[in-house]
Amino acid sequence: MLRWFFLISCFFATYTQAEKVTVSYYKCVSDRGTVFSQRPCGKNGTQHTLTHSNPKAVIPSEQHFKTLNNLEKQQIVRNLKREIRAKRQKAAILSRDRDRDSREQQARLNRIMDDEKKKQTIKDVRKQLKSINKQYLKNAKDIDKQIVRLEKQLARYQ
């Protein structure tokens, strides 16, 4: 909403009581992003119209489409950077959780118990640590793949 307000105020100065100026453009959304154009750009293109009543405002020749495309690109880059940062934080949290679970399992070994119970506890702790590490590696690998994919997308836009 704020973006459109900014776009309208960016292209057209203040409103007055004079003749209206109308600009039509097409917004096309694809898997590569959003593009603004003067001409229809396929089946998924939608036509939009901006109207302004400032008589001194002139319709720029294609410059507003370039500005719209640059704004859309900046928004995509900002969103990708935020998503990468969130994934990295998720990976850090995952690592802390694994470390906490490992400490809890190892703390079980420090309790006083007889030899038979200690052998069972050691066996169980090893099994639990193996399970914790296996789950951590799986989750970390998934997060790393997502980060790599997002960084590739970001590199494409920069």
Side-chain angles (χ1 to χ4, degrees):
M1 185 69 170
L2 288 173
R3 186 174 88 192
W4 287 109
F5 177 76
F6 172 74
L7 291 174
I8 291 170
S9 64
C10 179
F11 296 122
F12 306 108
T14 59
Y15 285 102
T16 62
Q17 298 292 337
E19 188 176 322
K20 291 185 177 184
V21 176
T22 303
V23 176
S24 295
Y25 64 92
Y26 292 88
K27 179 180 178 183
C28 305
V29 180
S30 68
D31 58 340
R32 295 200 62 150
T34 303
V35 176
F36 298 93
S37 173
Q38 287 179 317
R39 294 168 199 82
C41 41
K43 297 176 184 175
N44 62 350
T46 57
Q47 184 177 9
H48 298 273
T49 304
L50 295 175
T51 304
H52 194 282
S53 60
N54 185 355
K56 296 178 184 174
V58 289
I59 301 173
S61 62
E62 292 196 41
Q63 292 302 317
H64 56 287
F65 299 109
K66 290 179 182 177
T67 303
L68 288 172
N69 287 334
N70 284 334
L71 288 172
E72 185 73 21
K73 181 181 171 184
Q74 289 172 1
Q75 182 181 14
I76 290 170
V77 167
R78 185 184 69 238
N79 290 343
L80 285 171
K81 285 181 179 180
R82 285 180 181 168
E83 196 170 346
I84 288 171
R85 187 173 55 242
K87 295 295 181 187
R88 287 186 176 147
Q89 289 173 348
K90 188 175 181 179
I93 290 169
L94 188 64
S95 178
R96 285 194 303 261
D97 289 345
R98 180 200 56 173
D99 293 343
R100 184 192 66 235
D101 292 343
S102 296
R103 281 192 306 273
E104 287 174 0
Q105 289 300 318
Q106 290 173 355
R108 290 176 56 196
L109 296 175
N110 294 333
R111 296 184 186 137
I112 298 175
M113 57 186 97
D114 62 0
D115 290 338
E116 186 63 35
K117 186 151 179 122
K118 191 168 189 164
K119 286 180 184 178
Q120 287 178 336
T121 304
I122 289 172
K123 185 177 179 182
D124 185 50
V125 166
R126 285 183 182 155
K127 182 179 174 184
Q128 292 294 328
L129 288 174
K130 184 177 180 180
S131 173
I132 290 168
N133 286 328
K134 184 177 178 181
Q135 186 64 35
Y136 168 78
L137 290 174
K138 179 181 176 252
N139 291 341
K141 186 177 179 181
D142 290 343
I143 290 173
D144 287 342
K145 283 181 182 179
Q146 292 171 356
I147 290 173
V148 167
R149 180 184 53 82
L150 291 170
E151 286 175 341
K152 284 181 182 179
Q153 281 182 328
L154 182 62
R156 195 172 34 173
Y157 285 105
Q158 289 183 335

